[in-house]
Amino acid sequence: MILYKRIQAYIDCEWGSDNKTLSLQVLLRYGKSGLARYIVFHEDLKEFLKSKNYSEGLLQGMNARLLFSDFSPSKDVLTELIYSHLKRIELPLEKEGIKCDLYMFFSPKDLTIAIGKTSFLDLITQKTRGGYRIEQKRTLRGSFSQVLENGFKIDYKIKDVAGWTNKGLKHLADSLSVPTVEKSLLDDYKSRMEDGLVHCTDDFIKYALNDVDLLERIVRSKVRMVNWLCKDIFSLNKSYNLSTIPMSQGSLVSDVFITYLYSLLDKSVKYSAVDRERVLTAAFCKLGLLKKDASRFEENFFLLKKALHFFRQKQSFWI
């Protein structure tokens, strides 16, 4: 029996003009073909949706499930949803929990609703070696764990797709030739989505679910495109998957470029003290030593000193 260790979750929220949460959408991917879609409405909308013949459970013809929540500050809707889904389908899991790549398009508000305001505020103030559990630079980034009362734990890693563009989600989709037809369903209600829900309930649900569908299609298309470039255009022995692809254009270009540089090194040369890739990494990170809070500063500084010592002792200047 295969134990599942990692899943992908894609999230998005719809908001009213008064900044009140209308819904949270979640798409889950697991294994080779596992797929689940959820739309979680605020419980204040339960009676209204009932009048429109929508109730908690499977949404016929939409391949999704509808749930309700009060989105209280202490409620971790996302972790509870993932756990209940995995339990319902009896997916074999590691006893200690599961890892989750959490995809979104830059929105601290959406993440706040997904894991609860209490958890979010705690995580943005929890210091780590390199910063905070969750932090905002140009995009959202961070890793954190959420534990339910029954002990089930999910280790999340934020994957903010906004790092791949300096424009909107639609522009990113268009650049990858991903269709965005459903994005225009509620164009007349962009500034008052609660009216769109009231007057076009079916379209609202389709529109909301499409946002997480679109997010997933963008990520998969990006991975395919980059892998195609690496293999067929640059002839590099490099490939990414959903978990390993860098989440900013800068880090992605840098990673591919470093792979290219490594490919140029003379593999016949033997390095007795340090391997050639670590020496080259140290050399390229030398400028970063001016910035002591830079990522991996201590490791790069150690590598630089070790490389310099090796070259001075051996009088070897192959690079």
Side-chain angles (χ1 to χ4, degrees):
M1 179 178 66
I2 298 176
L3 294 178
Y4 287 82
K5 299 180 180 181
R6 184 180 296 274
I7 63 172
Q8 286 82 40
Y10 302 80
I11 65 169
D12 182 65
C13 283
E14 302 303 334
W15 301 83
S17 58
D18 57 357
N19 212 31
K20 182 177 180 179
T21 311
L22 298 176
S23 65
L24 164 70
Q25 298 80 245
V26 180
L27 184 149
L28 302 177
R29 276 284 188 185
Y30 44 92
K32 291 184 177 180
S33 57
L35 170 67
R37 300 194 306 162
Y38 286 85
I39 182 165
V40 186
F41 279 104
H42 197 288
E43 65 177 14
D44 290 350
L45 297 169
K46 185 177 289 187
E47 290 303 316
F48 164 74
L49 287 168
K50 187 177 180 180
S51 71
K52 295 285 187 175
N53 297 318
Y54 285 106
S55 57
E56 189 161 284
L58 187 65
L59 290 171
Q60 297 297 329
M62 294 190 186
N63 190 29
R65 286 183 173 272
L66 186 153
L67 301 174
F68 292 98
S69 174
D70 61 0
F71 296 119
S72 65
S74 61
K75 193 172 185 61
D76 184 348
V77 179
L78 179 62
T79 305
E80 290 181 4
L81 184 154
I82 292 175
Y83 174 72
S84 63
H85 176 79
L86 298 179
K87 186 177 180 181
R88 182 173 60 82
I89 64 173
E90 299 181 345
L91 193 72
L93 303 170
E94 292 280 0
K95 290 182 180 180
E96 59 269 23
I98 198 166
K99 298 182 185 300
C100 178
D101 296 319
L102 181 56
Y103 291 92
M104 65 184 68
F105 191 89
F106 182 78
S107 178
K109 288 200 307 181
D110 292 0
L111 185 56
T112 301
I113 291 301
I115 64 174
K117 186 176 182 179
T118 302
S119 288
F120 181 80
L121 293 178
D122 180 49
L123 290 166
I124 62 175
T125 57
Q126 274 189 33
K127 287 190 175 181
T128 63
R129 182 179 176 185
Y132 295 89
R133 286 291 174 194
I134 297 176
E135 55 186 2
Q136 173 185 334
K137 294 188 177 178
R138 197 177 78 79
T139 60
L140 281 179
R141 61 183 68 183
S143 300
F144 59 95
S145 298
Q146 294 290 88
V147 183
L148 296 178
E149 291 182 356
N150 61 9
F152 183 79
K153 183 177 76 167
I154 298 183
D155 296 320
Y156 291 102
K157 185 173 181 61
I158 296 175
K159 303 276 192 176
D160 190 351
V161 176
W164 291 336
T165 181
N166 58 2
K167 296 185 179 180
L169 186 66
K170 187 178 185 305
H171 180 270
L172 178 58
D174 290 342
S175 71
L176 294 166
S177 299
V178 176
T180 59
V181 178
E182 295 90 341
K183 288 293 288 181
S184 61
L185 278 175
L186 295 178
D187 279 354
D188 294 337
Y189 298 99
K190 290 291 187 182
S191 61
R192 52 186 200 286
M193 291 295 285
E194 66 274 25
D195 292 343
L197 175 61
V198 171
H199 300 299
C200 309
T201 308
D202 291 351
D203 284 345
F204 179 96
I205 294 175
K206 291 176 183 176
Y207 174 90
L209 288 170
N210 173 72
D211 275 351
V212 284
D213 289 343
L214 181 60
L215 198 58
E216 192 227 7
R217 292 198 300 270
I218 285 172
V219 173
R220 289 182 176 274
S221 295
K222 184 72 171 182
V223 171
R224 283 195 299 269
M225 184 198 74
V226 172
N227 285 342
W228 169 73
L229 285 171
C230 288
K231 180 181 178 181
D232 295 346
I233 304 302
F234 302 136
S235 300
L236 296 176
N237 184 25
K238 182 77 174 180
S239 65
Y240 297 100
N241 58 40
L242 296 177
S243 298
T244 61
I245 186 168
M247 297 307 297
S248 74
Q249 286 292 75
S251 58
L252 181 55
V253 170
S254 174
D255 198 51
V256 173
F257 181 58
I258 287 175
T259 301
Y260 167 72
L261 290 175
Y262 288 165
S263 72
L264 300 180
L265 290 172
D266 186 352
K267 295 179 174 56
S268 65
V269 175
K270 302 298 182 182
Y271 298 82
S272 58
V274 289
D275 70 69
R276 61 183 184 278
E277 293 188 1
R278 289 171 70 83
V279 171
L280 188 59
T281 298
F284 273 93
C285 288
K286 187 173 185 297
L287 288 177
L289 298 178
L290 299 174
K291 191 176 179 183
K292 291 191 174 182
D293 61 345
S295 175
R296 301 175 68 180
F297 166 79
E298 292 181 3
E299 179 185 353
N300 290 331
F301 188 55
F302 170 76
L303 286 173
L304 177 65
K305 289 194 298 183
K306 191 171 183 179
L308 290 175
H309 175 74
F310 170 65
F311 286 133
R312 285 166 180 163
Q313 292 295 316
K314 300 293 183 179
Q315 296 182 349
S316 301
F317 296 95
W318 297 312
I319 295 179

